Amino acid sequence: MTDLPLVVITGASSGIGAATARAFAAAGHPLLLIARRLEPMVELGLENAELAAVDVTDTAAVAEALARAEERFGAADLLVNNAGLMALSAVAEQDPALVQEQFDVNCVALMKNSQLVLPGMQTRRRGTIVNIGSIAGKQLYTDHTVYNGTKYAVHAMTEGLRRENAAHGVRVLLVAPGMVDTGLLGNTGEGAVLDGYLDYKSSIGGGLRPDDIAQAILTAYQLPQHISFREIVVAPTSQDA
Ligand code: NDP
């Protein structure tokens, strides 16, 4: 067993979330990992980890998983709101269900799941929430309209949440990656939009590795509680957009 506090990571079944789970496990933290697919989280083979096959939009199920993990490991000291999806398309051609889902997962779940940990963190006067935004929360890209909207919202809400929690001693940080080599393109159907994205990605060397983002999160978290990085924008050096 470890004395370090519980770290909660959503979207831990692949990409940045899985890499973040490995990084915090290696640093000695007990974990609550949340994603819909259980098997990839089992395959991470991490000790001291509660695994919850839960949809992040199901707040009651997330709350139940959190209660179970806190019972086993003590209070959550870090929530990484990482679960997200990107479905690229011109809006006129986009499946309305994907418009809804991108906002539900990327924005609404991020706020409602933050509400589950904030009162305890405020009472303890310590704790950290890391929201994964995107460089697409800072500038617009073609065929990114809905995704851009969700990430601009994440950036705005993160800054609002940071201000609300400053006096409580609770850190709220934004990590906004540029291109990272993950499964994020899984929700963009085949065709010119996907090809254009892949062409650019390969022209800049394929993007960062998920471990690169995990290291940025770990570094920011491991600073003393009174130091807040506020915002980390981390992209491949070769990414010019
Ligand atoms: P992946 O597709 O590899 O990972 C997305 C994760 O989110 C998966 O673990 C998936 O798990 C989980 N997820 C999606 N929907 C739900 C849901 N409803 N409930 C629970 N979990 C869910 O992509 P990334 O690792 O790239 O994405 C992680 C975050 O990073 C996202 O917020 C993304 O927007 C952001 N980002 C990524 C960039 C990139 O270039 N890759 C750049 C900038 C930001 P499961 O399917 O098992 O539920």
Side-chain angles (χ1 to χ4, degrees):
M1 265 310 259
T2 158
D3 289 337
L4 292 172
L6 174 65
V7 167
V8 181
I9 302 166
T10 69
S13 62
S14 71
I16 294 167
T20 304
R22 286 193 300 267
F24 277 89
H29 286 272
L31 301 171
L32 167 60
L33 305 183
I34 299 172
R36 290 165 303 181
R37 290 168 298 150
L38 182 61
E39 201 51 38
M41 295 192 288
V42 173
E43 283 166 7
L44 289 172
L46 302 176
E47 280 177 27
N48 296 325
E50 277 284 327
L51 309 181
V54 159
D55 189 316
V56 284
T57 64
D58 183 347
T59 315
V62 175
E64 225 172 85
L66 178 65
R68 221 174 31 244
E70 289 193 322
E71 174 78 31
R72 183 172 162 196
F73 296 123
D77 193 53
L78 170 64
L79 167 63
V80 184
N81 278 312
N82 163 76
L85 73 152
M86 173 178 82
L88 302 183
S89 169
V91 174
E93 289 144 30
Q94 187 145 51
D95 177 350
L98 280 172
V99 175
Q100 184 77 46
E101 190 182 352
Q102 286 180 88
F103 275 98
D104 286 347
V105 175
N106 299 3
C107 298
V108 180
L110 174 139
M111 278 295 113
K112 291 174 79 174
N113 293 331
S114 298
Q115 290 180 312
L116 298 176
V117 297
L118 274 171
M121 289 180 176
Q122 291 181 351
T123 302
R124 293 187 295 279
R125 297 195 58 78
R126 66 160 290 125
T128 304
I129 294 179
V130 172
N131 290 334
I132 306 299
S134 169
I135 209 158
K138 299 181 77 69
Q139 59 182 308
L140 301 180
Y141 296 96
T142 306
D143 295 315
H144 281 60
T145 300
V146 172
Y147 183 72
N148 266 144
T150 68
K151 291 299 183 178
Y152 271 70
V154 168
H155 288 210
M157 292 190 295
T158 302
E159 176 58 12
L161 209 54
R162 186 193 67 71
R163 293 180 190 194
E164 285 176 22
N165 283 280
H168 296 283
V170 175
R171 292 185 298 196
V172 183
L173 320 182
L174 177 76
V175 174
M179 273 193 180
V180 187
D181 192 19
T182 69
L184 192 65
L185 286 165
N187 288 288
T188 298
E190 286 179 14
V193 173
L194 181 65
D195 293 347
Y197 190 99
L198 290 175
D199 283 350
Y200 181 71
K201 191 173 163 191
S202 98
S203 79
I204 61 163
L208 295 179
R209 295 168 304 127
D211 288 342
D212 301 327
I213 310 303
Q215 279 311 313
I217 297 168
L218 185 65
T219 301
Y221 174 73
Q222 286 182 331
L223 289 171
Q225 179 77 24
H226 70 284
I227 305 175
S228 173
F229 264 180
R230 285 198 185 182
E231 182 171 329
I232 300 173
V233 182
V234 50
T237 304
S238 51
Q239 184 171 345
D240 61 0

